Amino acid sequence: MMRNLKFVAGSILCASLLSTQGADVTGKVTLKGTPPPEKDLPLDPACGKLWPNEKPKTRFYVAGADGGLGDVFVYLKKDGLKSDVPAKAALLDQKGCEYVPYILGLQTGQKLLVRNSDPVLHNVHATPKVNKEFNLAQMAGGKDLEKTFDQNEVFVRFKCDVHPWMFAYVGVVPHSYHAVTDKDGKFKIEGVPAGKYTLVAFHRKAHGTEDKAVTQEITVGDSAVSANFTVEAAAQ
Amino acid sequence: MPKLNPGNRWLARYAILVAAATLGLIGLGGLVTSHGAGMAVPDWPTTYGYNMFLFPISQWVGGIFYEHTHRLYASVVGLLTVILAVWLQFRAADRRLARWGWVAVGLVIIQGVLGGLRVSLMKDQIGILHASLAQAFLVLLSLLALGVAPAWRSWTSHTAGFRSPSLAVTHRLWLLTTVLVFAQLLLGAAMRHQHAGLAVPDFPLAYGRVWPPTDPEFLQQVNAARIDTRDFHAITANQIYLHMGHRALAFVVASLMVISGLRLRRDFGKRSGPGRWGTAWIVLVTVQMLLGASTVWSNKAADIATLHVLVGACCLTMGAIGTAVCRAALRFPSERRETSPQSDATSERLHVPATLGVQA
C-alpha cells in the first residue's frame, strides 16, 4: 500500500515537473534565392597568422548545402512573457580575430562574458541604440569582461575598432525562449510554457530591421511544436 | 622690397612648417576615419592604460596604429603651435598677429579635448565638430604664415600695380566661394562620420538614375544586398540626401572656384603671384572633382577618400589666402594714402599693409 502511494506521488511530481518545463519549439529556416557572395576578410599580419590555411570570409549569409540558413535569431513574442534569468552566463569569444558566435541570444539581466582567446589585443565596443554603449580594452590573455543589458534590444552590435572586420550581434529579449539557427538552419527552443505566441525569425542582413522579420503564430501545448520559415535572399 | 632679417625669415619658414604639419595632421585624422579606427583606442588621454607617449610600439597594430599616431602627431602640432605663438609674441610687428597666435593655441587645445571627448563620450557628432574645427585651425595657421611670409610682402606690393576696378567683386566672389568650400567640407565630414560607407555607390548616376529612390523597400533591398568587410551602418534616406547634397554642392563650388580663379588671373595678371594662385586653385578643384569621383568608383578606398579630404583642406586654405590677398589689395590705397600721401609709385609697391607684417 505504502509503495503504491509512493509511486502515485512520484508520478504526480514528474507530471507536474514536465508541465512546468513546457514543450519544445523546433524548426528550420530555409534560404530562398542566391545570396551575394561573401568577401575575404582583410586580416592584418598578426591576425593572418591565426589562419594559416583557410582564410575567413564575411558571415552575412551562412547557408548550408540543403538551403538551411544559419545565424537566424528565433524567439518568442508575447506581452508580459518573462522567465527566470539563467544562472549560466552567455559567452561571446574573440577567436582568430573574429567574434564567435556571430549571432548570440541573451536575456535581459543575464550575464554576458566577453572573452579574448586571441594572442592579440582587441577593443570590445558595443553600440546599442537602447542600452548603454561601452568601449573597453581587452588585452591578449586579459580576464573576461562581464556585462549585462537591462533593455530589450534586437540586435546590440559588437565591434572591434582595432580590427574593423570583427563584429557580432546580440539579441536581447526579456526571456530565455530564444535560439539561433545552426549552419543547417535548425533551431530548438526548449521548455516553452503552454500558450499562444508569435514566433519570430530575424535574419540580420536579409531583414535589416526587426519589423521586417518573418513571424508565425503558434500554440504550444504539452507536445513539441514545429515551425519552419523561409527567408528570401537579397536581390543582387 | 624691404628685407626681412634672418630671424624673421626663420619665423616665416617656421609658420609655414606649422601650417604644413597641420595639413599632415588632417591627413592622419582622415586616415583614422577612413579606416574606421576612431574608437580603436578606447581610453583618453591614456592609451590602453599607458601614458600615451610610452605605449609600446609593438602594440601599434590594426586601427590602433592610425588612432595612436594621430594622437602623438597632434601633440607635436600642439607643441609647434605654442612655439609659434611665443615666437609671434616677440617678433610680430603687428600685435594682432601675436594675438591670433594665441587664439591658435586655444583652438589646438580645444581641438585636442574634442578629440578626447569623441572617444570618451562615443559621439559621432563630436567627430564632425572635431573634423570641421581642424579645417578652421588650418586656415588660421595658414593666414598667420601668410602674414609673416616674405611672399606676402611681395604679393601685396604687386597688387598696387595690377589692381583692377572689378577687384571688389572678385574679393566677394572669393569670400563666398571659400565659405561654400567650408560648407562642403562640413557636409563631407558629416558623411564620413555617419560610418555608413557609400550611401550612393555609383557616379555620375545614383543607383542608375539621376535622383535615387529612397523608399523603405528600396533601402531594405540595398542594405540586404550590401556585402562589405566593414560593419557599416545601414544606409538611410537621410544619408542618401546628404550624399546627393554633397554632389550638388560640389558642382556649384567647383564652378565658382573656376570663375573666381579666372577673375584673379584677370585682375592681377596671369603671371603675377595672385594670378598663379588663381590658376592653382582651378587645377586643385579639378583634381578634387576627380578624387571625389574616384572615392565612389573605388568604393571609398581609404587612401583615396583621405586624399579627397586633404585636397579639400587645401582648397579651403587656398580660398582663404586668395580672399586675404584680394582684401589686402582693396585696402591698400587708403592705407597708403594715410601713411605716405606724397610717395611715388615705386614706394607704393614697397608698402606692406599695416594689417599684416613682421618686424623688418
Side-chain angles (χ1 to χ4, degrees), chain A residues 36-37 39-40 42 44 58 60-61 121 123 125 133 135 137 139 157 161-162 164-165 167 169 205-207 212 234-235, chain B residues 35-37 39-40 42 48 50 59 61-64 122 220-221 223-233 299:
Chain A
K39 288 189 175 174
D40 290 334
D44 63 16
T58 52
F60 291 110
Y61 291 92
L121 63 79
N123 74 298
H125 187 184
E133 183 173 356
N135 183 20
M139 308 304 276
R157 182 181 67 163
D161 304 278
V162 180
W165 59 85
F167 48 98
Y169 290 84
K205 193 66 181 170
H207 296 131
K212 300 285 193 304
Chain B
H35 284 280
M39 303 299 284
Y48 283 85
Y50 287 86
Q59 304 280 13
V61 295
I64 297 173
M122 297 176 278
Q220 196 204 340
Q221 278 180 12
N223 286 313
R226 197 178 185 210
I227 300 288
D228 208 302
T229 56
R230 289 261 301 279
D231 181 23
F232 293 121
H233 289 306
N299 190 26

Side-chain angles (χ1 to χ4, degrees), chain B residues 58-335:
Chain B
S58 61
Q59 304 280 13
W60 298 17
V61 295
I64 297 173
F65 174 80
Y66 299 107
E67 172 63 10
H68 188 59
T69 48
H70 180 57
R71 291 186 187 189
L72 291 179
Y73 191 92
S75 306
V76 173
V77 169
L79 181 65
L80 293 177
T81 309
V82 171
I83 293 170
L84 177 66
V86 172
W87 203 335
L88 286 170
Q89 181 71 36
F90 287 105
R91 297 302 300 177
D94 187 336
R95 303 314 301 160
R96 277 175 291 186
L97 278 183
R99 280 199 291 276
W100 280 109
W102 290 111
V103 170
V105 171
L107 273 184
V108 82
I109 291 170
I110 291 171
Q111 184 65 344
V113 172
L114 277 179
L117 289 178
R118 191 265 171 270
V119 169
S120 314
L121 301 179
M122 297 176 278
K123 296 283 181 201
D124 287 340
Q125 294 86 340
I126 298 177
I128 298 170
L129 189 59
H130 185 58
S132 307
L133 192 61
Q135 303 283 353
F137 180 63
L138 173 65
V139 167
L140 175 58
L141 285 177
S142 303
L143 290 178
L144 280 174
L146 181 73
V148 294
W152 169 250
R153 299 159 73 86
S154 164
W155 281 17
T156 49
S157 64
H158 265 298
T159 57
F162 292 105
R163 200 177 61 250
S164 139
S166 68
L167 189 59
V169 178
T170 304
H171 171 242
R172 282 197 291 272
L173 192 60
W174 270 78
L175 182 61
L176 170 72
T177 308
T178 304
V179 169
L180 287 178
V181 169
F182 188 60
Q184 178 71 336
L185 293 179
L186 292 186
L187 275 184
M191 285 166 64
R192 287 168 58 74
H193 288 266
Q194 300 265 337
H195 302 292
L198 268 176
V200 181
D202 52 338
F203 181 85
L205 294 175
Y207 291 102
R209 306 178 195 191
V210 175
W211 189 263
T214 53
D215 56 278
E217 288 73 25
F218 174 76
L219 291 175
Q220 196 204 340
Q221 278 180 12
V222 165
N223 286 313
R226 197 178 185 210
I227 300 288
D228 208 302
T229 56
R230 289 261 301 279
D231 181 23
F232 293 121
H233 289 306
I235 293 169
T236 63
N238 284 340
Q239 284 160 11
I240 291 179
Y241 297 144
L242 196 61
H243 185 110
M244 295 306 287
H246 189 66
R247 286 189 187 189
L249 190 55
F251 282 103
V252 173
V253 168
S255 306
L256 286 174
M257 283 176 75
V258 171
I259 293 168
S260 50
L262 290 174
R263 284 189 71 100
L264 206 66
R265 281 161 55 92
R266 188 193 65 188
D267 289 352
F268 288 93
K270 290 177 190 171
R271 294 186 179 178
S272 67
R276 286 181 175 147
W277 196 257
T279 306
W281 216 33
I282 294 169
V283 171
L284 201 64
V285 73
T286 308
V287 171
Q288 181 67 341
M289 292 290 277
L290 285 173
L291 282 172
S294 301
T295 302
V296 176
W297 292 331
S298 68
N299 190 26
K300 217 174 177 179
D303 298 346
I304 294 174
T306 304
L307 207 54
H308 189 49
V309 172
L310 263 183
V311 176
C314 292
C315 287
L316 177 69
T317 306
M318 286 190 72
I321 291 173
T323 306
V325 167
C326 293
R327 183 171 179 269
L330 282 171
R331 294 182 63 162
F332 185 82
S334 58
E335 288 179 5

Side-chain angles (χ1 to χ4, degrees), chain A residues 40-63:
Chain A
D40 290 334
L41 297 182
L43 302 179
D44 63 16
C47 292
K49 285 178 190 167
L50 306 174
W51 293 85
N53 302 317
E54 191 187 0
K55 298 296 175 194
K57 289 180 177 289
T58 52
R59 295 174 286 176
F60 291 110
Y61 291 92
V62 179

